[in-house]
Amino acid sequence: MLTAGGMTLFSACGTVGSESGTAKNTATAPESNPAPASSPASSSAAPTPQPAGTPTPAAPSTAPSAKPSGKTPAEPEYYVHGGPMELALTLDDGPSPVYTPQVLAILRRHGVTATFFLIGANVEKFPDIVRQIVDDGHHLGNHTWSHPDLGTLSAGQTRDEMERTSDIIARSGRGQRPTLFRAPGGFFTHASMALCGELGLRPVSWSVDPRDWSRPGTQKIVDEVLGHARAGSIILDHDGSLLKGTAPVPGSPEDRSQTVAALDTYLPRLIGDGYRFTALDPAA
Ligand SMILES: [Zn+2]
């Protein structure tokens, strides 16, 4: 387990803030000061997670409980436990008024169902986009209200971030209350894990991270996903960012056009290879 600033963290995969472009450059917040996707910041992180570059023959046998139990989960989920050719696509930091509709059109074209981990502050601005996501049959997860580094928050502040977001998603998303939670950067603190148990949220991380938020180039995103995706993978991509204004600025860290183009390339390739995309939410 990774200990940082007195907080015990459950994941070192990913990068706090980077997803939203609100990066905080601290050594323990790899989403803003990212560790390479293939090397988590700590090898002593929770036992289940595998770095994105580590081959795994199949999903682990320790399948998570399908239903929230009210107990504090032992660790986040890094894999989806479906059939032999099933994996999951997750999209973080939306909704975006520009990129989410483009992503939805691509998912529709390729017949892919995904899970969108939404930022509450964005949901407040763009509830109509949330309804489009739901109407297309996708699933909604809680990704906090303002995408903070949870390690910097009190338990009360963490509760506020999580509860407000579940509430507004339920109000905006045709009553669909999230049952999934993803901490910004994948940093699940003890407080957030305890709240997951209390609020009936399953903590979900990821196992394939092409770092698309850093805009490394469409081909790089494609190569990373195709190079690491396998049965059980949870793929992380970003359709949005924590928007300060009313629309993302092209060419800025808010620009997700590379992600959009990459999805349109790698999804048909994975489908052609025989993979199927499955929901993370067993109730869905
Ligand atoms: Zn994020």
Side-chain angles (χ1 to χ4, degrees):
M1 227 171 260
L2 176 67
T3 302
M7 299 291 282
T8 301
L9 306 175
F10 287 82
S11 169
C13 303
T15 48
V16 169
S18 67
E19 304 172 86
S20 66
T22 57
K24 294 177 181 177
N25 291 315
T26 65
T28 56
E31 201 159 16
S32 57
N33 185 10
S38 59
S39 65
S42 169
S43 60
S44 61
T48 300
Q50 298 286 328
T54 301
T56 46
S61 59
T62 52
S65 169
K67 293 181 180 177
S69 64
K71 296 194 312 184
T72 299
E75 61 186 34
E77 299 168 25
Y78 295 83
Y79 297 91
V80 65
H81 303 275
M85 292 299 283
E86 291 195 353
L87 36 68
L89 175 65
T90 61
L91 292 142
D92 285 13
D93 297 357
S96 161
V98 172
Y99 300 112
T100 305
Q102 295 179 32
V103 168
L104 290 174
I106 290 168
L107 299 181
R108 208 176 301 131
R109 188 155 65 242
H110 299 300
V112 168
T113 300
T115 301
F116 290 75
F117 285 92
L118 304 176
I119 293 176
N122 287 349
V123 173
E124 187 174 48
K125 288 180 180 176
F126 311 111
D128 55 321
I129 306 291
V130 180
R131 284 188 280 277
Q132 289 179 33
I133 296 171
V134 173
D135 289 348
D136 274 11
H138 303 293
H139 311 295
L140 307 178
N142 179 330
H143 197 41
T144 73
W145 186 269
S146 62
H147 208 275
D149 176 350
L150 293 179
T152 67
L153 303 188
S154 68
Q157 289 170 323
T158 301
R159 175 184 291 276
D160 186 56
E161 285 275 344
M162 294 172 68
E163 284 188 334
R164 287 175 71 198
T165 302
S166 282
D167 288 347
I168 198 166
I169 288 174
R171 285 200 304 274
S172 305
R174 303 201 190 285
Q176 184 183 136
R177 192 167 188 85
T179 61
L180 306 171
F181 173 74
R182 175 173 282 164
F187 282 119
F188 293 85
T189 59
H190 277 306
S192 64
M193 293 292 276
L195 279 162
C196 279
E198 181 184 330
L199 302 175
L201 294 165
R202 283 167 43 214
V204 176
S205 188
W206 59 83
S207 38
V208 174
D209 177 10
R211 293 158 51 94
D212 63 308
W213 55 267
S214 68
R215 301 164 63 233
T218 299
Q219 192 59 48
K220 175 76 171 168
I221 299 169
V222 170
D223 290 345
E224 284 294 313
V225 172
L226 294 180
H228 298 302
R230 52 188 53 83
S233 292
I234 298 176
I235 300 170
L236 170 66
D237 260 329
H238 297 78
D239 62 321
S241 59
L242 180 62
L243 280 183
K244 301 212 169 17
T246 56
V249 178
S252 79
E254 299 176 337
D255 190 320
R256 297 287 176 258
S257 56
Q258 292 182 5
T259 302
V260 172
L263 281 166
D264 209 15
T265 302
Y266 76 65
L267 289 177
R269 294 273 298 275
L270 289 172
I271 293 166
D273 287 344
Y275 286 107
R276 291 187 303 149
F277 289 84
T278 189
L280 288 167
D281 187 345

